[in-house]
Amino acid sequence: DGGITQSPKYLFRKEGQNVTLSCEQNLNHDAMYWYRQDPGQGLRLIYYSQIVNDFQKGDIAEGYSVSREKKESFPLTVTSAQKNPTAFYLCASRITGVSYGYTFGSGTRLTVV
Amino acid sequence: DQQVKQNSPSLSVQEGRISILNCDYTNSMFDYFLWYKKYPAEGPTFLISISSIKDKNEDGRFTVFLNKSAKHLSLHIVPSQPGDSAVYFCAASHSGAGSYQLTFGKGTKLSVIP
């Protein structure tokens, strides 16, 4: 069954530490996206990648980094430079040129302790 | 500046009645609109979409209406069911951007009361 897998579902991090959130898809989608959701807020775009080895900053990229070495994988690193990292992180993918509809993963809840 | 606005954070509706969720946008370049449904601690799931060349799209109990002149769209759910209780996000995109990025509203939490 095709889909997007985000792991782990819950993640705790100490202040000052970097942490990497995993996102894997087996949908053969070209484009992948990372969004952040805060309570009472919409989804805000962090980074996106339309093709392997290429990615672009979204609206709130500061304090985050990504890589896209494989089509199936788009990991997000939350660095210590991110001032308020506690949030719900969503990964999504989309097949290029077919539709605007995204397929989302089930998310990772990151809490800084 | 918020380009997609959902001004009602929450909505309560009786089971069997109509639910109407509203969304306004400011960017006249947007030409494709989507609604997503989201349960707590889960990713959003696609519900229905509409292109700017249409003013209505229907899928079962769900209908989306688009009023381009008012830059307004709405999602109608008829009849509403308890399983419809979730947060609904309105999203918009414009084909000229190339990246097909979606801009989301803040969401409306729908509660359908049995």
Side-chain angles (χ1 to χ4, degrees):
Chain A
D1 229 359
I4 297 182
T5 302
Q6 288 188 243
S7 61
K9 193 159 182 68
Y10 299 95
L11 190 56
F12 296 87
R13 186 196 91 174
K14 290 184 179 179
E15 273 194 50
Q17 287 182 339
N18 292 357
V19 63
T20 298
L21 283 60
S22 169
C23 178
E24 303 279 332
Q25 55 101 358
N26 59 4
L27 298 164
N28 200 32
H29 285 178
D30 301 299
M32 297 186 75
Y33 305 79
W34 274 105
Y35 283 88
R36 167 181 172 144
Q37 185 191 13
D38 295 283
Q41 299 292 319
L43 281 66
R44 293 183 291 168
L45 182 64
I46 305 172
Y47 266 99
Y48 65 97
S49 168
Q50 299 194 81
I51 195 169
V52 173
N53 291 324
D54 185 59
F55 48 83
Q56 305 295 329
K57 291 182 178 180
D59 300 321
I60 55 166
E62 186 175 349
Y64 300 98
S65 66
V66 293
S67 63
R68 187 83 187 278
E69 297 176 2
K70 299 185 300 181
K71 187 176 185 178
E72 302 79 18
S73 179
F74 191 41
L76 173 74
T77 297
V78 184
T79 75
S80 56
Q82 169 50 233
K83 299 302 179 192
N84 187 19
T86 295
F88 188 59
Y89 291 87
L90 284 159
C91 180
S93 70
R94 182 187 60 81
I95 192 162
T96 306
V98 173
S99 75
Y100 292 86
Y102 291 13
T103 300
F104 281 88
S106 57
T108 293
R109 167 73 61 185
L110 173 64
T111 303
V112 174
V113 296
Chain B
D1 70 342
Q2 216 182 333
Q3 298 186 67
V4 177
K5 300 177 184 177
Q6 293 178 257
N7 292 319
S8 298
S10 62
L11 175 68
S12 287
V13 172
Q14 206 74 30
E15 181 179 2
R17 298 287 186 103
I18 183 171
S19 295
I20 300 177
L21 293 85
N22 294 304
C23 178
D24 297 292
Y25 61 96
T26 57
N27 189 339
S28 57
M29 299 295 291
F30 287 147
D31 56 7
Y32 202 83
F33 305 89
L34 306 92
W35 286 93
Y36 281 84
K37 176 179 178 179
K38 185 181 180 301
Y39 294 114
E42 293 184 11
T45 54
F46 171 73
L47 197 56
I48 193 169
S49 63
I50 188 167
S51 164
S52 60
I53 62 173
K54 294 185 175 181
D55 53 20
K56 176 183 174 181
N57 189 25
E58 198 170 347
D59 184 1
R61 295 187 298 114
F62 303 92
T63 303
V64 56
F65 296 92
L66 175 63
N67 182 333
K68 287 191 295 291
S69 60
K71 294 191 177 67
H72 176 84
L73 61 155
S74 60
L75 174 68
H76 293 212
I77 306 174
V78 184
S80 300
Q81 298 173 355
D84 296 329
S85 297
V87 176
Y88 289 79
F89 288 100
C90 172
S93 183
H94 69 92
S95 53
S99 63
Y100 298 92
Q101 290 180 47
L102 292 182
T103 301
F104 287 84
K106 291 186 176 183
T108 296
K109 183 177 182 180
L110 174 65
S111 299
V112 179
I113 304 161

